[in-house]
Amino acid sequence: MAAEPVLAVDDLRVTIATRRGPARVVNGVSWAVAPGETLAVVGESGSGKSVSVLSLLGLVPRPPATVTGRATFQGQDLVALPEEALRKVRGPGIAMVFQDPMTSLNPVLTVGRQLTEGMEVHLGLDRRAATERAAELLDLVGIPSPRERLASYPHHLSGGMRQRVMIAVALSCEPAVLIADEATTALDVTIQAQIVELIAELQRELGMAVVWITHDLGVVAGIADRVAVMYAGRIVEEGAVDDLYADPRHPYTRGLLASLPVLGDRARGGEGRHPADLAVIPGLPPDPVHLPPGCPFHPRCPVRADERCATEEPPLRPVPGARGPAPHRVATFYDLPPEDRR
Amino acid sequence: MTALDDTPAGPAEAGQVAAPDEAVGARGLLRALLRNRLAAAALVVLAIFVVVAVLGERLAPYGRNEVSSADKLRAPSLEHPFGTDQLGRDVLSRVLIGAEPSLRVGLVAVGIALVAGVVLGLVAGYYRGLVDDVVMRCMDVLFAFPAILLAIAVMAIRGRGATNAMIAIGVVYTPIFARVTRASVLTVREQVFVRAARSIGAGDLRIMTRHVLPNVAAPIIVQTSISLAFAILAEAALSFIGLGTQPPEPSWGRMLADGRGFIQDAWWMAVFPGLAIFAVVLSFNVTGDALRDALDPRQRSAIESAAGRG
Amino acid sequence: MTRYLLRRVGQSVVVLFGVSVAVFSIIHLVPGDPVRLALGTRFDQRTYDALVARAGLDDPVLVQYVNWLGNALTGDLGVSFRSGRPVTELILERLPATLSLAFGAIVVALLIAVPLGLVSALRPRSAVDYVATFVSQAGISIPDFWLAIVAILVFSLTLGWLPSSGYVGLTEDPVEWARHLVLPAVVVGTVSGAVLTRFVRSSALEALGEDYTRTARAKGLPRRVVIGRHVLRNALVPVVTVTGIQLAYLLSGVVIVEVVFAWQGLGQLALQAVETRDYPLLQGAVLLFAVFFLVVNLVVDLLYAVVDPRISR
């Protein structure tokens, strides 16, 4: 990417103290995202993808968590920033949309109130002006008769509508970065596609950077510029979306892609998935308290083409022939032969 | 999924066939309680009071009604660590001897409530339908009266004395046991092992006692500990107003009532029996809480105890 | 909402009916002749006949019940065996004292429970939390009448700050009313507050862990707004129920604390009725308490529906 990144994460590590010992949830993650760009961070639940972004905003309680590394946003290091300064970043700087719109909205406050409170705090608007803008925002995210909806409570709305409200809340202070954390996972497939499309559209209009956190490669295929695949708190493969989909180099990425129905269709919405037909990677992600030595994926890996897999951690390196500002990189000791994807 | 929390799976795990209480066991439960330092301390306090209640008279430095008219209203001293009362009786001895009646009334009362409530709750929850409605509405009616007042009303009918106090307090706490039991029975009765027992033709009584009861034991045990706390408070209250344990038998509530009249001149007369009540009740409450944590972290029978307070 | 409301009201009516039968039975469960027992040494045939006739004790039981219930519904709870005055009148006289104490105590309880429970929940497993948990555990375990005696000893007899006993009407002398109210309200409120603290703590902990709290933090709201507007509002929803139950209990007269403070309330009246075997008075008081309890519970449930819009769908 030619543009200067708006948010750059460097060697982020998160460890959470548990009764069984420290859980190493995020283990040295680096990525960057530029204005107008969409980065997708993909991985199974438990891969550390949500914790990594939550920890950037101080939303993982410390203690029990400890966070190290750097996260540069508008010249500040978010990891080192005191809570009060970080609070001012949340909302106007970096905003989030969460997974479950049923529980992410406060049940005892009206939609209007939940929209206006952030604007009152960050933009210094009075109640009237904030309410005015709240109605505009609801209109922007495609909610019919927005003015009446301001007085609704979340339980009056459908799941898709609630997620639109969540997006309106996130956009209310015009963030430079929008983080969508499994923002479509709890929704029906058709609604998923609408929400994905809505965020893409708003991004074009508002020029913000978007980070999609998802376990579903299919959701982001059509909209992401770049993809980073996470496993056990590490990035195991990253690259431009086309490179990565056309020529996945990590056995884990291949497994994830194999578990998708026909690529491309789902991003545009329509087809439901048929779980019974899909290949699933056998086994479970490792316990972050007892990470295996070597490549964290090796106990589940169908390839294991190098004896170092079980003893050394493979570094993230460019795949042969990778070019450009966002080269295709993979964390393996070997190069898999190209896979026939069609 | 890798959980960050290593709590063992709860006993109510669906599809489980064995009676889960056997997996925990009394020994494991005791271990769990002793790990909790506060609960361990509470158990020690309770053990001491039980020993005191059993040995009572033999531990006391003076007799229960040993009067020394020269030593009336003496402040605490080496000779009388808790002082003496208006008749010159040793307060320490009376607090020690008073443990027995105070604990006995509470224990028997909870025993009555436990048996009656568990039977009613078991029957209501197991048979459902009309039986359930009738039994539980009756429990609602009893529950509608404030605890101490219901006890007073029962005593107004039956008369004063420790025996009637046991019955009165037993009646007051029956609905709580019925509710707790019924609620647990409802969740258990549809589980695999109950249906399995029914399918091989086991009789209702057998299913209830062998299969259902052991699996609803946890919340009942917790409720028993909490109820013991409140029953001992209730006994003290009834004795305080002269309805419970009758003089000359020393009971803590009765001693408090005596002490109240001399509060300005002899604070020790009211303070020490009150501390004894407080220590026992607190210990039962702490134990109940720890039992709840150990047996079933999700159970919220605190609602019952909140309503039962008084 | 309407269906829920009707069902709740219906349930309460059924229980109320049961309560009326239970209360009515009191006088018939007493072994022996209740009127003779009540009169005791003051016995004379004319008073005896008058009381029996007034209470309708010669009628068949069913007729007695129907008459008694009918009268009770119109506010006539019979005549006191002891004083010969209408029970309703005796009860109404005591109502202001009981109301003062109940509301005074609930205010104290909430003043203790909300901050303590919240602080405790905000720092779970910290020293503050352990102390708060233990204090509330201790508060639940303290015999309230003993606490009353100790409070009188310290604040009244030793320090001389406050009067030790008695009730002064609000309209007679507001200052003295307040001075007399402080000790009983603090004693009773401490115990209720201990019960409430645990509920505030657990429901605040629950609210703190909810997704909407994370959303509020992700919006960059100041901590006090997150806690006050998002956590506390949700946490107080279940607390309303328990506060209601506590209020019902307090309205029913805190019998023994009233005795200790010589507080001229309903609890003391009920106890006097027992001591003097004044059964109509006892019935009236007990009936009133049960009605209090049921009504408060009903109101609390309906309030719950208002505070938590999810229920009133």
PDB file of all heavy atoms in Angstrom, chain B residues 145-146 149 152 157 237 240 256 260 270 278 282 285 289 306 309, chain C residues 31 137-138 140-142 146 191 195 198 252 256 260 274 286 289:
ATOM      1  N   PHE B 145     -46.524 -14.835  55.128  1.00  0.00           N
ATOM      2  CA  PHE B 145     -46.410 -14.245  56.463  1.00  0.00           C
ATOM      3  C   PHE B 145     -44.952 -13.989  56.780  1.00  0.00           C
ATOM      4  O   PHE B 145     -44.099 -14.841  56.520  1.00  0.00           O
ATOM      5  CB  PHE B 145     -46.998 -15.189  57.517  1.00  0.00           C
ATOM      6  CG  PHE B 145     -48.451 -15.469  57.316  1.00  0.00           C
ATOM      7  CD1 PHE B 145     -48.883 -16.670  56.780  1.00  0.00           C
ATOM      8  CD2 PHE B 145     -49.402 -14.512  57.660  1.00  0.00           C
ATOM      9  CE1 PHE B 145     -50.232 -16.927  56.584  1.00  0.00           C
ATOM     10  CE2 PHE B 145     -50.739 -14.762  57.468  1.00  0.00           C
ATOM     11  CZ  PHE B 145     -51.158 -15.969  56.930  1.00  0.00           C
ATOM     12  N   PRO B 146     -44.654 -12.817  57.357  1.00  0.00           N
ATOM     13  CA  PRO B 146     -43.276 -12.571  57.766  1.00  0.00           C
ATOM     14  C   PRO B 146     -42.835 -13.653  58.751  1.00  0.00           C
ATOM     15  O   PRO B 146     -43.616 -14.047  59.629  1.00  0.00           O
ATOM     16  CB  PRO B 146     -43.320 -11.219  58.456  1.00  0.00           C
ATOM     17  CG  PRO B 146     -44.656 -10.648  58.166  1.00  0.00           C
ATOM     18  CD  PRO B 146     -45.548 -11.728  57.694  1.00  0.00           C
ATOM     19  N   LEU B 149     -43.222 -13.320  62.557  1.00  0.00           N
ATOM     20  CA  LEU B 149     -44.611 -13.171  62.944  1.00  0.00           C
ATOM     21  C   LEU B 149     -45.371 -14.483  62.830  1.00  0.00           C
ATOM     22  O   LEU B 149     -46.236 -14.800  63.659  1.00  0.00           O
ATOM     23  CB  LEU B 149     -45.271 -12.127  62.054  1.00  0.00           C
ATOM     24  CG  LEU B 149     -46.365 -11.480  62.854  1.00  0.00           C
ATOM     25  CD1 LEU B 149     -45.798 -10.350  63.662  1.00  0.00           C
ATOM     26  CD2 LEU B 149     -47.499 -11.081  62.000  1.00  0.00           C
ATOM     27  N   ILE B 152     -44.548 -16.363  65.789  1.00  0.00           N
ATOM     28  CA  ILE B 152     -45.279 -15.831  66.949  1.00  0.00           C
ATOM     29  C   ILE B 152     -46.733 -16.289  66.906  1.00  0.00           C
ATOM     30  O   ILE B 152     -47.313 -16.682  67.928  1.00  0.00           O
ATOM     31  CB  ILE B 152     -45.165 -14.288  66.980  1.00  0.00           C
ATOM     32  CG1 ILE B 152     -43.731 -13.890  67.343  1.00  0.00           C
ATOM     33  CG2 ILE B 152     -46.146 -13.698  67.987  1.00  0.00           C
ATOM     34  CD1 ILE B 152     -43.477 -12.398  67.262  1.00  0.00           C
ATOM     35  N   ILE B 157     -51.008 -19.848  69.231  1.00  0.00           N
ATOM     36  CA  ILE B 157     -51.976 -20.944  69.222  1.00  0.00           C
ATOM     37  C   ILE B 157     -51.532 -22.062  70.157  1.00  0.00           C
ATOM     38  O   ILE B 157     -52.297 -22.566  70.959  1.00  0.00           O
ATOM     39  CB  ILE B 157     -52.137 -21.492  67.782  1.00  0.00           C
ATOM     40  CG1 ILE B 157     -52.750 -20.417  66.892  1.00  0.00           C
ATOM     41  CG2 ILE B 157     -52.976 -22.753  67.786  1.00  0.00           C
ATOM     42  CD1 ILE B 157     -52.666 -20.726  65.416  1.00  0.00           C
ATOM     43  N   ALA B 237     -34.726 -14.851  69.067  1.00  0.00           N
ATOM     44  CA  ALA B 237     -35.738 -13.802  69.061  1.00  0.00           C
ATOM     45  C   ALA B 237     -36.956 -14.213  69.886  1.00  0.00           C
ATOM     46  O   ALA B 237     -37.464 -13.431  70.694  1.00  0.00           O
ATOM     47  CB  ALA B 237     -36.151 -13.498  67.618  1.00  0.00           C
ATOM     48  N   PHE B 240     -36.113 -14.173  73.433  1.00  0.00           N
ATOM     49  CA  PHE B 240     -35.934 -12.786  73.858  1.00  0.00           C
ATOM     50  C   PHE B 240     -37.267 -12.162  74.276  1.00  0.00           C
ATOM     51  O   PHE B 240     -37.345 -11.448  75.268  1.00  0.00           O
ATOM     52  CB  PHE B 240     -35.313 -11.984  72.708  1.00  0.00           C
ATOM     53  CG  PHE B 240     -35.033 -10.542  73.037  1.00  0.00           C
ATOM     54  CD1 PHE B 240     -33.926 -10.191  73.799  1.00  0.00           C
ATOM     55  CD2 PHE B 240     -35.866  -9.531  72.588  1.00  0.00           C
ATOM     56  CE1 PHE B 240     -33.656  -8.867  74.102  1.00  0.00           C
ATOM     57  CE2 PHE B 240     -35.606  -8.198  72.890  1.00  0.00           C
ATOM     58  CZ  PHE B 240     -34.497  -7.871  73.646  1.00  0.00           C
ATOM     59  N   LEU B 256     -30.152 -12.342  76.784  1.00  0.00           N
ATOM     60  CA  LEU B 256     -30.136 -11.003  76.187  1.00  0.00           C
ATOM     61  C   LEU B 256     -31.266 -10.164  76.745  1.00  0.00           C
ATOM     62  O   LEU B 256     -31.099  -8.985  77.045  1.00  0.00           O
ATOM     63  CB  LEU B 256     -30.324 -11.125  74.670  1.00  0.00           C
ATOM     64  CG  LEU B 256     -29.080 -11.023  73.812  1.00  0.00           C
ATOM     65  CD1 LEU B 256     -29.437 -11.233  72.356  1.00  0.00           C
ATOM     66  CD2 LEU B 256     -28.499  -9.638  73.988  1.00  0.00           C
ATOM     67  N   ARG B 260     -30.820  -6.755  78.820  1.00  0.00           N
ATOM     68  CA  ARG B 260     -31.336  -5.492  78.325  1.00  0.00           C
ATOM     69  C   ARG B 260     -31.743  -4.572  79.473  1.00  0.00           C
ATOM     70  O   ARG B 260     -31.533  -3.369  79.434  1.00  0.00           O
ATOM     71  CB  ARG B 260     -32.535  -5.785  77.433  1.00  0.00           C
ATOM     72  CG  ARG B 260     -33.053  -4.571  76.743  1.00  0.00           C
ATOM     73  CD  ARG B 260     -34.336  -4.892  76.013  1.00  0.00           C
ATOM     74  NE  ARG B 260     -35.095  -3.679  75.849  1.00  0.00           N
ATOM     75  CZ  ARG B 260     -36.400  -3.609  75.929  1.00  0.00           C
ATOM     76  NH1 ARG B 260     -37.109  -4.684  76.167  1.00  0.00           N
ATOM     77  NH2 ARG B 260     -37.006  -2.461  75.781  1.00  0.00           N
ATOM     78  N   ALA B 270     -25.548  -8.420  78.302  1.00  0.00           N
ATOM     79  CA  ALA B 270     -26.186  -8.505  76.986  1.00  0.00           C
ATOM     80  C   ALA B 270     -25.171  -8.769  75.879  1.00  0.00           C
ATOM     81  O   ALA B 270     -25.488  -9.403  74.879  1.00  0.00           O
ATOM     82  CB  ALA B 270     -26.942  -7.214  76.689  1.00  0.00           C
ATOM     83  N   PHE B 278     -24.203 -14.390  67.449  1.00  0.00           N
ATOM     84  CA  PHE B 278     -23.585 -13.846  66.247  1.00  0.00           C
ATOM     85  C   PHE B 278     -22.556 -14.829  65.673  1.00  0.00           C
ATOM     86  O   PHE B 278     -22.552 -15.116  64.473  1.00  0.00           O
ATOM     87  CB  PHE B 278     -22.942 -12.506  66.606  1.00  0.00           C
ATOM     88  CG  PHE B 278     -22.193 -11.851  65.491  1.00  0.00           C
ATOM     89  CD1 PHE B 278     -22.786 -11.651  64.252  1.00  0.00           C
ATOM     90  CD2 PHE B 278     -20.895 -11.402  65.677  1.00  0.00           C
ATOM     91  CE1 PHE B 278     -22.104 -11.042  63.223  1.00  0.00           C
ATOM     92  CE2 PHE B 278     -20.199 -10.791  64.651  1.00  0.00           C
ATOM     93  CZ  PHE B 278     -20.802 -10.607  63.424  1.00  0.00           C
ATOM     94  N   LEU B 282     -23.157 -16.513  62.113  1.00  0.00           N
ATOM     95  CA  LEU B 282     -22.194 -16.151  61.078  1.00  0.00           C
ATOM     96  C   LEU B 282     -21.508 -17.408  60.523  1.00  0.00           C
ATOM     97  O   LEU B 282     -21.350 -17.561  59.315  1.00  0.00           O
ATOM     98  CB  LEU B 282     -21.152 -15.191  61.654  1.00  0.00           C
ATOM     99  CG  LEU B 282     -20.079 -14.680  60.682  1.00  0.00           C
ATOM    100  CD1 LEU B 282     -20.712 -13.908  59.540  1.00  0.00           C
ATOM    101  CD2 LEU B 282     -19.059 -13.803  61.397  1.00  0.00           C
ATOM    102  N   ASN B 285     -23.797 -19.222  58.224  1.00  0.00           N
ATOM    103  CA  ASN B 285     -23.944 -18.483  56.968  1.00  0.00           C
ATOM    104  C   ASN B 285     -22.719 -18.642  56.076  1.00  0.00           C
ATOM    105  O   ASN B 285     -22.835 -18.867  54.877  1.00  0.00           O
ATOM    106  CB  ASN B 285     -24.185 -16.996  57.245  1.00  0.00           C
ATOM    107  CG  ASN B 285     -25.666 -16.690  57.380  1.00  0.00           C
ATOM    108  OD1 ASN B 285     -26.505 -17.318  56.731  1.00  0.00           O
ATOM    109  ND2 ASN B 285     -25.998 -15.736  58.217  1.00  0.00           N
ATOM    110  N   ASP B 289     -22.570 -20.469  52.436  1.00  0.00           N
ATOM    111  CA  ASP B 289     -22.037 -19.823  51.237  1.00  0.00           C
ATOM    112  C   ASP B 289     -20.963 -20.673  50.580  1.00  0.00           C
ATOM    113  O   ASP B 289     -20.941 -20.838  49.359  1.00  0.00           O
ATOM    114  CB  ASP B 289     -21.417 -18.481  51.625  1.00  0.00           C
ATOM    115  CG  ASP B 289     -22.347 -17.340  51.283  1.00  0.00           C
ATOM    116  OD1 ASP B 289     -23.563 -17.594  51.241  1.00  0.00           O
ATOM    117  OD2 ASP B 289     -21.850 -16.230  51.052  1.00  0.00           O
ATOM    118  N   ALA B 306     -32.886 -14.201  51.812  1.00  0.00           N
ATOM    119  CA  ALA B 306     -33.197 -12.793  52.008  1.00  0.00           C
ATOM    120  C   ALA B 306     -34.635 -12.641  52.471  1.00  0.00           C
ATOM    121  O   ALA B 306     -34.955 -11.867  53.368  1.00  0.00           O
ATOM    122  CB  ALA B 306     -32.993 -12.022  50.707  1.00  0.00           C
ATOM    123  N   ARG B 309     -35.169 -13.778  56.143  1.00  0.00           N
ATOM    124  CA  ARG B 309     -34.548 -13.025  57.216  1.00  0.00           C
ATOM    125  C   ARG B 309     -35.615 -12.364  58.077  1.00  0.00           C
ATOM    126  O   ARG B 309     -36.501 -11.713  57.578  1.00  0.00           O
ATOM    127  CB  ARG B 309     -33.621 -11.952  56.626  1.00  0.00           C
ATOM    128  CG  ARG B 309     -32.990 -11.035  57.657  1.00  0.00           C
ATOM    129  CD  ARG B 309     -32.024 -11.818  58.550  1.00  0.00           C
ATOM    130  NE  ARG B 309     -32.224 -11.407  59.922  1.00  0.00           N
ATOM    131  CZ  ARG B 309     -31.313 -10.778  60.666  1.00  0.00           C
ATOM    132  NH1 ARG B 309     -30.147 -10.521  60.178  1.00  0.00           N
ATOM    133  NH2 ARG B 309     -31.586 -10.451  61.892  1.00  0.00           N
TER     134      ARG B 309
ATOM    135  N   PRO C  31     -56.478 -24.116  71.578  1.00  0.00           N
ATOM    136  CA  PRO C  31     -57.165 -25.106  72.407  1.00  0.00           C
ATOM    137  C   PRO C  31     -57.938 -24.389  73.519  1.00  0.00           C
ATOM    138  O   PRO C  31     -57.409 -23.480  74.151  1.00  0.00           O
ATOM    139  CB  PRO C  31     -56.014 -25.952  72.987  1.00  0.00           C
ATOM    140  CG  PRO C  31     -54.763 -25.173  72.743  1.00  0.00           C
ATOM    141  CD  PRO C  31     -55.035 -24.112  71.745  1.00  0.00           C
ATOM    142  N   GLN C 137     -21.871 -10.274  55.203  1.00  0.00           N
ATOM    143  CA  GLN C 137     -22.138 -11.574  55.820  1.00  0.00           C
ATOM    144  C   GLN C 137     -22.395 -11.404  57.326  1.00  0.00           C
ATOM    145  O   GLN C 137     -23.320 -11.987  57.886  1.00  0.00           O
ATOM    146  CB  GLN C 137     -20.904 -12.454  55.582  1.00  0.00           C
ATOM    147  CG  GLN C 137     -21.042 -13.881  55.982  1.00  0.00           C
ATOM    148  CD  GLN C 137     -21.876 -14.663  55.006  1.00  0.00           C
ATOM    149  OE1 GLN C 137     -23.089 -14.743  55.188  1.00  0.00           O
ATOM    150  NE2 GLN C 137     -21.278 -15.227  53.986  1.00  0.00           N
ATOM    151  N   ALA C 138     -21.570 -10.551  57.944  1.00  0.00           N
ATOM    152  CA  ALA C 138     -21.727 -10.305  59.372  1.00  0.00           C
ATOM    153  C   ALA C 138     -23.048  -9.593  59.647  1.00  0.00           C
ATOM    154  O   ALA C 138     -23.764  -9.927  60.598  1.00  0.00           O
ATOM    155  CB  ALA C 138     -20.549  -9.476  59.884  1.00  0.00           C
ATOM    156  N   ILE C 140     -25.782  -9.792  58.050  1.00  0.00           N
ATOM    157  CA  ILE C 140     -26.902 -10.726  57.945  1.00  0.00           C
ATOM    158  C   ILE C 140     -26.993 -11.581  59.200  1.00  0.00           C
ATOM    159  O   ILE C 140     -28.080 -11.994  59.609  1.00  0.00           O
ATOM    160  CB  ILE C 140     -26.709 -11.617  56.686  1.00  0.00           C
ATOM    161  CG1 ILE C 140     -26.843 -10.768  55.440  1.00  0.00           C
ATOM    162  CG2 ILE C 140     -27.709 -12.752  56.666  1.00  0.00           C
ATOM    163  CD1 ILE C 140     -26.430 -11.466  54.175  1.00  0.00           C
ATOM    164  N   SER C 141     -25.850 -11.822  59.836  1.00  0.00           N
ATOM    165  CA  SER C 141     -25.815 -12.756  60.955  1.00  0.00           C
ATOM    166  C   SER C 141     -26.052 -12.107  62.321  1.00  0.00           C
ATOM    167  O   SER C 141     -26.203 -12.812  63.312  1.00  0.00           O
ATOM    168  CB  SER C 141     -24.460 -13.469  60.981  1.00  0.00           C
ATOM    169  OG  SER C 141     -24.182 -14.038  59.722  1.00  0.00           O
ATOM    170  N   ILE C 142     -26.039 -10.800  62.355  1.00  0.00           N
ATOM    171  CA  ILE C 142     -26.210 -10.132  63.658  1.00  0.00           C
ATOM    172  C   ILE C 142     -27.676 -10.170  64.070  1.00  0.00           C
ATOM    173  O   ILE C 142     -28.551  -9.851  63.268  1.00  0.00           O
ATOM    174  CB  ILE C 142     -25.733  -8.664  63.573  1.00  0.00           C
ATOM    175  CG1 ILE C 142     -24.215  -8.619  63.648  1.00  0.00           C
ATOM    176  CG2 ILE C 142     -26.324  -7.823  64.694  1.00  0.00           C
ATOM    177  CD1 ILE C 142     -23.671  -7.223  63.770  1.00  0.00           C
ATOM    178  N   TRP C 146     -30.158  -7.451  69.239  1.00  0.00           N
ATOM    179  CA  TRP C 146     -28.909  -7.263  69.983  1.00  0.00           C
ATOM    180  C   TRP C 146     -28.183  -6.005  69.506  1.00  0.00           C
ATOM    181  O   TRP C 146     -27.711  -5.195  70.301  1.00  0.00           O
ATOM    182  CB  TRP C 146     -28.022  -8.504  69.799  1.00  0.00           C
ATOM    183  CG  TRP C 146     -26.708  -8.429  70.514  1.00  0.00           C
ATOM    184  CD1 TRP C 146     -26.520  -8.315  71.861  1.00  0.00           C
ATOM    185  CD2 TRP C 146     -25.412  -8.442  69.927  1.00  0.00           C
ATOM    186  NE1 TRP C 146     -25.185  -8.273  72.143  1.00  0.00           N
ATOM    187  CE2 TRP C 146     -24.476  -8.351  70.974  1.00  0.00           C
ATOM    188  CE3 TRP C 146     -24.952  -8.535  68.609  1.00  0.00           C
ATOM    189  CZ2 TRP C 146     -23.095  -8.346  70.746  1.00  0.00           C
ATOM    190  CZ3 TRP C 146     -23.583  -8.535  68.386  1.00  0.00           C
ATOM    191  CH2 TRP C 146     -22.669  -8.447  69.444  1.00  0.00           C
ATOM    192  N   VAL C 191     -29.084  -4.262  58.830  1.00  0.00           N
ATOM    193  CA  VAL C 191     -29.332  -5.676  58.530  1.00  0.00           C
ATOM    194  C   VAL C 191     -29.888  -5.829  57.112  1.00  0.00           C
ATOM    195  O   VAL C 191     -29.413  -6.654  56.323  1.00  0.00           O
ATOM    196  CB  VAL C 191     -30.287  -6.280  59.579  1.00  0.00           C
ATOM    197  CG1 VAL C 191     -30.653  -7.695  59.198  1.00  0.00           C
ATOM    198  CG2 VAL C 191     -29.636  -6.239  60.951  1.00  0.00           C
ATOM    199  N   VAL C 195     -28.138  -7.616  53.519  1.00  0.00           N
ATOM    200  CA  VAL C 195     -28.762  -8.533  52.561  1.00  0.00           C
ATOM    201  C   VAL C 195     -28.670  -7.942  51.152  1.00  0.00           C
ATOM    202  O   VAL C 195     -28.286  -8.617  50.194  1.00  0.00           O
ATOM    203  CB  VAL C 195     -30.245  -8.783  52.925  1.00  0.00           C
ATOM    204  CG1 VAL C 195     -30.919  -9.630  51.860  1.00  0.00           C
ATOM    205  CG2 VAL C 195     -30.353  -9.439  54.290  1.00  0.00           C
ATOM    206  N   ARG C 198     -25.215  -7.905  48.999  1.00  0.00           N
ATOM    207  CA  ARG C 198     -24.834  -9.099  48.240  1.00  0.00           C
ATOM    208  C   ARG C 198     -25.521  -9.121  46.887  1.00  0.00           C
ATOM    209  O   ARG C 198     -24.946  -9.558  45.895  1.00  0.00           O
ATOM    210  CB  ARG C 198     -25.210 -10.350  49.026  1.00  0.00           C
ATOM    211  CG  ARG C 198     -24.781 -10.243  50.465  1.00  0.00           C
ATOM    212  CD  ARG C 198     -25.096 -11.487  51.199  1.00  0.00           C
ATOM    213  NE  ARG C 198     -24.315 -12.576  50.655  1.00  0.00           N
ATOM    214  CZ  ARG C 198     -24.359 -13.815  51.126  1.00  0.00           C
ATOM    215  NH1 ARG C 198     -25.154 -14.112  52.111  1.00  0.00           N
ATOM    216  NH2 ARG C 198     -23.617 -14.746  50.604  1.00  0.00           N
ATOM    217  N   SER C 252     -44.050  -5.091  57.689  1.00  0.00           N
ATOM    218  CA  SER C 252     -44.724  -6.031  58.566  1.00  0.00           C
ATOM    219  C   SER C 252     -44.304  -5.822  60.012  1.00  0.00           C
ATOM    220  O   SER C 252     -44.658  -6.587  60.880  1.00  0.00           O
ATOM    221  CB  SER C 252     -44.388  -7.459  58.185  1.00  0.00           C
ATOM    222  OG  SER C 252     -44.399  -7.588  56.813  1.00  0.00           O
ATOM    223  N   ILE C 256     -39.242  -7.300  66.997  1.00  0.00           N
ATOM    224  CA  ILE C 256     -38.451  -7.285  68.222  1.00  0.00           C
ATOM    225  C   ILE C 256     -37.671  -5.996  68.371  1.00  0.00           C
ATOM    226  O   ILE C 256     -37.526  -5.468  69.472  1.00  0.00           O
ATOM    227  CB  ILE C 256     -37.578  -8.546  68.252  1.00  0.00           C
ATOM    228  CG1 ILE C 256     -38.577  -9.713  68.242  1.00  0.00           C
ATOM    229  CG2 ILE C 256     -36.707  -8.603  69.462  1.00  0.00           C
ATOM    230  CD1 ILE C 256     -38.000 -11.023  68.016  1.00  0.00           C
ATOM    231  N   VAL C 260     -37.564  -3.334  71.518  1.00  0.00           N
ATOM    232  CA  VAL C 260     -36.366  -2.789  72.173  1.00  0.00           C
ATOM    233  C   VAL C 260     -36.405  -1.265  72.205  1.00  0.00           C
ATOM    234  O   VAL C 260     -36.043  -0.638  73.196  1.00  0.00           O
ATOM    235  CB  VAL C 260     -35.086  -3.288  71.468  1.00  0.00           C
ATOM    236  CG1 VAL C 260     -33.851  -2.624  72.063  1.00  0.00           C
ATOM    237  CG2 VAL C 260     -34.969  -4.794  71.586  1.00  0.00           C
ATOM    238  N   VAL C 274     -50.530 -11.063  71.200  1.00  0.00           N
ATOM    239  CA  VAL C 274     -50.213 -12.426  71.617  1.00  0.00           C
ATOM    240  C   VAL C 274     -50.172 -12.508  73.138  1.00  0.00           C
ATOM    241  O   VAL C 274     -50.733 -13.415  73.749  1.00  0.00           O
ATOM    242  CB  VAL C 274     -48.857 -12.878  71.030  1.00  0.00           C
ATOM    243  CG1 VAL C 274     -48.438 -14.217  71.604  1.00  0.00           C
ATOM    244  CG2 VAL C 274     -48.948 -12.950  69.520  1.00  0.00           C
ATOM    245  N   VAL C 286     -51.982  -9.797  61.642  1.00  0.00           N
ATOM    246  CA  VAL C 286     -51.353 -10.802  60.786  1.00  0.00           C
ATOM    247  C   VAL C 286     -51.902 -10.719  59.358  1.00  0.00           C
ATOM    248  O   VAL C 286     -51.162 -10.797  58.381  1.00  0.00           O
ATOM    249  CB  VAL C 286     -51.551 -12.210  61.374  1.00  0.00           C
ATOM    250  CG1 VAL C 286     -51.080 -13.271  60.393  1.00  0.00           C
ATOM    251  CG2 VAL C 286     -50.789 -12.337  62.680  1.00  0.00           C
ATOM    252  N   PHE C 289     -50.359  -7.822  57.576  1.00  0.00           N
ATOM    253  CA  PHE C 289     -48.976  -8.066  57.181  1.00  0.00           C
ATOM    254  C   PHE C 289     -48.899  -8.905  55.917  1.00  0.00           C
ATOM    255  O   PHE C 289     -48.113  -8.618  55.015  1.00  0.00           O
ATOM    256  CB  PHE C 289     -48.219  -8.796  58.293  1.00  0.00           C
ATOM    257  CG  PHE C 289     -48.070  -7.979  59.534  1.00  0.00           C
ATOM    258  CD1 PHE C 289     -48.042  -8.589  60.774  1.00  0.00           C
ATOM    259  CD2 PHE C 289     -47.986  -6.609  59.464  1.00  0.00           C
ATOM    260  CE1 PHE C 289     -47.894  -7.832  61.921  1.00  0.00           C
ATOM    261  CE2 PHE C 289     -47.847  -5.843  60.602  1.00  0.00           C
ATOM    262  CZ  PHE C 289     -47.805  -6.462  61.842  1.00  0.00           C
TER     263      PHE C 289
END
